[in-house]
Amino acid sequence: MSREFDVLDANSAFYRAFSARDLAAMEALWADDAPVVCVHPGWDALRGRDEVIQSWRAILDGVDSLVVRCSHAFAQVLGDTALVVCREHVSGGQLVATNVFVRERGTWKLVHHQASPLASDDDDGDSEEPLN
Amino acid sequence: MSREFDVLDANSAFYRAFSARDLAAMEALWADDAPVVCVHPGWDALRGRDEVIQSWRAILDGVDSLVVRCSHAFAQVLGDTALVVCREHVSGGQLVATNVFVRERGTWKLVHHQASPLASDDDDGDSEEPLN
């Protein structure tokens, strides 16, 4: 399970960088060598590190405050690649996210992020889940 | 590039099964050994082969006709895992999809699918792109 925990740590770091609007931390989380792709909600896919980082700069600079909480994170390690599927809690609703990581020089790095809104909130108390 | 082509073939087979409402073909495309996850547009994540296949049964049985075209497919092979990001064209709009495959007994099998709607169609003539 330790590899799953390492991946979940990397996933948590992504949401910390997101909420803290910390572009440097966000940049460091994305892979340097492997090609990266990012699909923000409603957006077309962005390809390549420059385009992806630029989108995060715009998002993190574009709001005064931003709290993104992650719950229900579930990691699946497939060799040197790992998938995390989780929920994102933002003001206004919940999303489902897929985050894909690869190992680069011993560290799990993001190569893919896609988030899409849940059609409606459910009532199972998920908003009270602890942060992952 | 041959591995990328093989993955794109598997990706095309997914959309053929989808459009043909061919549940048997759809079932055969999903991994038998690796855990699977599927995020339909607006849905929460479904985990496990039984739950995922049941969702496809409901979707494929639930409509009289269904044409899902795929374009802009781009494959990235990461060892024995591969990511495909593509657009889905359905009546009513376009979506962006992530499909993740793993190699099982020499064949690329789906372990993850997430599709989310594009906020609006663009006008770059993408609807005329050939099927991938």
Side-chain angles (χ1 to χ4, degrees):
Chain A
M1 282 297 290
S2 68
R3 299 190 79 194
E4 280 81 0
F5 287 135
D6 289 344
V7 174
L8 291 171
D9 282 350
N11 196 63
S12 295
F14 170 72
Y15 288 101
R16 281 198 304 276
F18 201 160
S19 275
R21 301 163 64 204
D22 184 340
L23 183 64
M26 181 62 80
E27 284 196 55
L29 284 161
W30 285 84
D32 293 301
D33 302 335
V36 301
V37 181
C38 186
V39 186
H40 298 295
W43 296 31
D44 199 0
L46 305 175
R47 299 185 194 287
R49 190 177 160 87
D50 289 350
E51 195 171 1
V52 169
I53 297 301
Q54 178 54 36
S55 76
W56 284 107
R57 179 177 292 115
I59 289 168
L60 300 182
D61 284 352
V63 291
D64 287 333
S65 69
L66 180 71
V67 177
V68 182
R69 224 165 43 75
C70 164
S71 74
H72 296 67
F74 178 86
Q76 178 180 356
V77 177
L78 302 159
D80 282 333
T81 306
L83 279 174
V84 178
V85 178
C86 59
R87 287 202 207 172
E88 296 179 353
H89 304 256
V90 297
S91 60
Q94 293 184 42
L95 302 96
V96 182
T98 298
N99 298 316
V100 184
F101 297 83
V102 296
R103 282 175 71 86
E104 284 189 351
R105 290 170 284 280
T107 302
W108 288 109
K109 296 278 192 161
L110 267 169
V111 288
H112 181 77
H113 168 75
Q114 178 167 8
S116 54
L118 273 173
S120 62
D121 290 345
D122 56 19
D123 297 310
D124 63 1
D126 295 327
S127 61
E128 299 310 309
E129 291 282 320
L131 285 171
N132 281 297
Chain B
M1 282 297 292
S2 68
R3 299 190 79 193
E4 280 79 2
F5 287 135
D6 289 344
V7 174
L8 291 172
D9 282 350
N11 195 63
S12 295
F14 170 72
Y15 288 101
R16 281 197 303 275
F18 200 159
S19 276
R21 302 163 64 204
D22 184 339
L23 183 63
M26 181 62 80
E27 284 196 56
L29 284 161
W30 285 84
D32 294 300
D33 302 334
V36 300
V37 181
C38 186
V39 186
H40 298 294
W43 295 33
D44 200 0
L46 305 175
R47 297 185 194 286
R49 190 176 160 87
D50 289 350
E51 194 170 2
V52 169
I53 297 300
Q54 177 55 37
S55 75
W56 284 108
R57 179 177 292 115
I59 288 168
L60 300 182
D61 285 351
V63 290
D64 287 333
S65 69
L66 181 71
V67 176
V68 182
R69 221 166 44 78
C70 163
S71 75
H72 296 68
F74 179 87
Q76 179 181 357
V77 177
L78 303 158
D80 283 333
T81 306
L83 279 174
V84 178
V85 178
C86 58
R87 288 202 206 170
E88 298 178 351
H89 304 256
V90 297
S91 59
Q94 293 183 42
L95 302 95
V96 182
T98 299
N99 298 316
V100 185
F101 297 84
V102 297
R103 282 177 71 87
E104 285 189 349
R105 290 171 283 282
T107 302
W108 289 109
K109 297 277 193 160
L110 267 169
V111 289
H112 182 78
H113 168 75
Q114 179 168 7
S116 55
L118 274 171
S120 62
D121 290 346
D122 55 19
D123 297 311
D124 62 3
D126 297 332
S127 61
E128 300 310 310
E129 289 282 320
L131 285 172
N132 282 295

